[in-house]
């Protein structure tokens, strides 16, 4: 697939987009990356011009309103980016020959669960961010595009942009004690790994919804502890319940993703999040991040 043309919406400054750009570039793809959507992006004529001027083989849509708590105060804005824009993009994809790869989130799930979430499990988002991301998925699926891939992922960390792991490391360099929530469980995911796994799915010509994340499960507290341990930062981590750390948006208590469909399609088992955190921390602490 060397020489394949990719357009990465959000590839210039997005956490995932930057890793995607690096991985595709290494794979010999011709990559064009954009910044966040400007006010004209909702104009189908302008978006069509962007698509037609690059004539991509694959469009990766990482654009999203990702400020989960702020979304509670700005639901219309969140909906415009997470639901309206994907639908406009999908309509343009319908009569153009590119594959559309769209990203979604574990926050489409809610309620109680004790087994990793499968693609066909019923979503029940508990916050504006999750609801608008689900609307985006459904708007795209309703278009019956011949070549649509929706990748649900979770708890991203990686180089180039603020993220939970970097925030924990920074906090602990300033203070020798932090409190972190222990009663939310999810699938921490390293953006360079997710980018590589996305490429594997495209190479396998995957279509429909896939869950993609690093292997294993963690609470935010376990993720922070592992990062600090890897960095050798002396810091006491206290596990607290969500009730002691009020946030505007309700997060799922359990949103671990089952990635077996990804493995069946690609033959690849994602590596563990612990391994990925160690790589990332090494990269950050040796100034390569
Ligand atoms: N981060 C996570 O933990 C996580 C977890 C599950 C799923 N996802 C999904 O994975 C995809 C990529 O996420 P990411 O963490 O890479 O996202 P991100 O870096 O926060 O943002 C991705 C792109 O969207 C733009 N953007 C962010 N907030 C925006 C806003 N309020 N209005 C307009 N544009 C905005 C960014 O622009 P700027 O760079 O200028 O901000 C960037 O171009 C998204 O679909 C997201 O829903 C993320």
């Amino acid at each position: 697939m060397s020489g394949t043309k990719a357009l990465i919406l959000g590839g210039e400054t997005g956490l995932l987009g930057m890793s995607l750009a690096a991985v595709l570039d290494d794979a010999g793809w011709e990559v064009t990356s954009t910044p966040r959507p400007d006010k004209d992006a909702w104009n189908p004529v302008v978006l069509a011009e962007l698509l037609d001027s690059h004539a991509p083989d694959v469009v990766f849509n990482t654009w999203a309103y990702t400020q989960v708590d702020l979304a509670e105060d700005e639901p219309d804005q969140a909906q415009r980016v997470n639901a309206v824009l994907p639908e406009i993009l999908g309509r343009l994809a319908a009569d153009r020959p590119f594959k559309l790869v769209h990203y979604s989130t574990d926050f489409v799930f809610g309620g109680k669960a004790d087994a990793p979430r499968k693609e066909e499990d019923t979503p029940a988002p508990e916050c504006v961010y999750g609801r608008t991301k689900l609307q985006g998925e459904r708007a795209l699926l309703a278009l019956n595009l011949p070549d649509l891939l929706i990748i649900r992922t979770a708890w991203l960390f990686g180089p180039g942009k603020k993220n939970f792991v970097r925030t924990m490391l920074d906090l602990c360099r300033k203070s020798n004690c932090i409190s972190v929530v222990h009663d939310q469980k999810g699938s921490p995911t390293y953006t360079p790994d997710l980018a590589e796994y996305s490429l594997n799915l495209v190479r396998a010509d995957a279509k429909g919804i896939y869950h993609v994340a690093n292997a294993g499960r963690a609470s935010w507290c376990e993720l922070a502890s592992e990062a600090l341990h890897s960095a050798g930062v002396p810091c006491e981590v206290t596990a607290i319940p969500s009730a002691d750390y009020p946030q505007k948006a309700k997060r799922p208590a359990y949103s671990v993703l089952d990635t077996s469909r990804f493995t069946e399609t690609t033959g690849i088992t994602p590596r563990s999040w612990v391994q990925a955190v160690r790589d990332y921390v090494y990269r950050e602490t040796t100034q390569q991040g």
Side-chain angles (χ1 to χ4, degrees):
M1 295 186 88
S2 176
T4 308
K5 288 172 85 174
L7 175 63
I8 308 175
L9 303 173
E12 222 174 85
T13 54
L15 181 60
L16 170 60
M18 287 186 285
S19 288
L20 266 174
V23 163
L24 296 178
D25 190 54
D26 281 353
W29 285 41
E30 214 178 290
V31 179
T32 304
S33 294
T34 78
R36 68 164 52 197
D38 63 21
K39 60 177 178 18
D40 292 330
W42 284 264
N43 179 337
V45 176
V46 174
L47 196 53
E49 274 169 16
L50 174 72
L51 296 170
D52 295 339
S53 65
H54 294 292
D57 300 297
V58 187
V59 174
F60 295 85
N61 180 30
T62 77
W63 276 340
Y65 184 114
T66 52
Q67 297 75 29
V68 175
D69 290 309
L70 192 59
E72 299 296 313
D73 293 327
E74 297 184 343
D76 294 346
Q77 266 302 98
Q79 201 208 12
R80 267 171 63 74
V81 184
N82 293 343
V84 176
L85 198 46
E87 183 171 1
I88 296 171
L89 187 59
R91 288 191 189 284
L92 295 170
D95 48 16
R96 287 175 175 74
F98 61 79
K99 182 181 190 74
L100 178 58
V101 181
H102 175 77
Y103 289 89
S104 190
T105 172
D106 58 326
F107 279 27
V108 298
F109 294 110
K112 290 201 185 340
D114 48 17
R117 310 288 195 155
K118 290 180 181 293
E119 288 82 351
E120 61 273 21
D121 287 354
T122 306
E126 297 177 294
C127 62
V128 168
Y129 169 71
R131 279 195 289 277
T132 55
K133 290 293 294 182
L134 181 61
Q135 281 174 26
E137 284 185 13
R138 288 183 170 162
L140 282 172
L141 291 169
L143 293 169
N144 290 316
L145 298 173
D147 205 357
L148 169 68
L149 170 62
I150 295 179
I151 298 177
R152 288 196 191 127
T153 189
W155 293 31
L156 297 184
F157 62 91
K161 195 170 184 180
K162 189 173 184 278
N163 64 81
F164 176 82
V165 171
R166 186 186 276 183
T167 302
M168 292 301 110
L169 294 175
D170 289 347
L171 273 177
C172 277
R173 289 190 182 107
K174 290 182 205 136
S175 150
N176 55 9
C177 174
I178 57 169
S179 300
V180 190
V181 166
H182 72 80
D183 55 359
Q184 293 169 23
K185 301 262 189 312
S187 300
T189 303
Y190 187 37
T191 51
D193 287 355
L194 174 59
E196 200 69 53
Y197 300 150
S198 300
L199 175 58
N200 295 131
L201 279 173
V202 171
R203 282 181 173 143
D205 200 22
K207 298 171 179 39
I209 300 182
Y210 278 80
H211 288 177
V212 184
N214 281 114
R217 69 190 67 186
S219 67
W220 293 111
C221 186
E222 286 165 333
L223 176 55
S225 301
E226 182 56 47
L228 298 168
H229 176 73
S230 303
V233 180
C235 182
E236 193 181 314
V237 182
T238 305
I240 57 165
S242 308
D244 289 356
Y245 186 69
Q247 288 176 293
K248 203 137 203 182
K250 186 158 189 268
R251 271 81 171 159
Y254 185 95
S255 59
V256 178
L257 296 177
D258 181 321
T259 58
S260 39
R261 180 175 291 170
F262 166 77
T263 299
E264 278 157 27
T265 301
T266 62
I268 293 163
T269 303
R271 67 172 172 160
S272 80
W273 67 265
V274 174
Q275 198 74 46
V277 165
R278 288 179 188 164
D279 268 14
Y280 173 55
V281 168
Y282 177 76
R283 182 177 178 153
E284 286 277 298
T285 50
T286 54
Q287 303 299 316
Q288 298 166 34

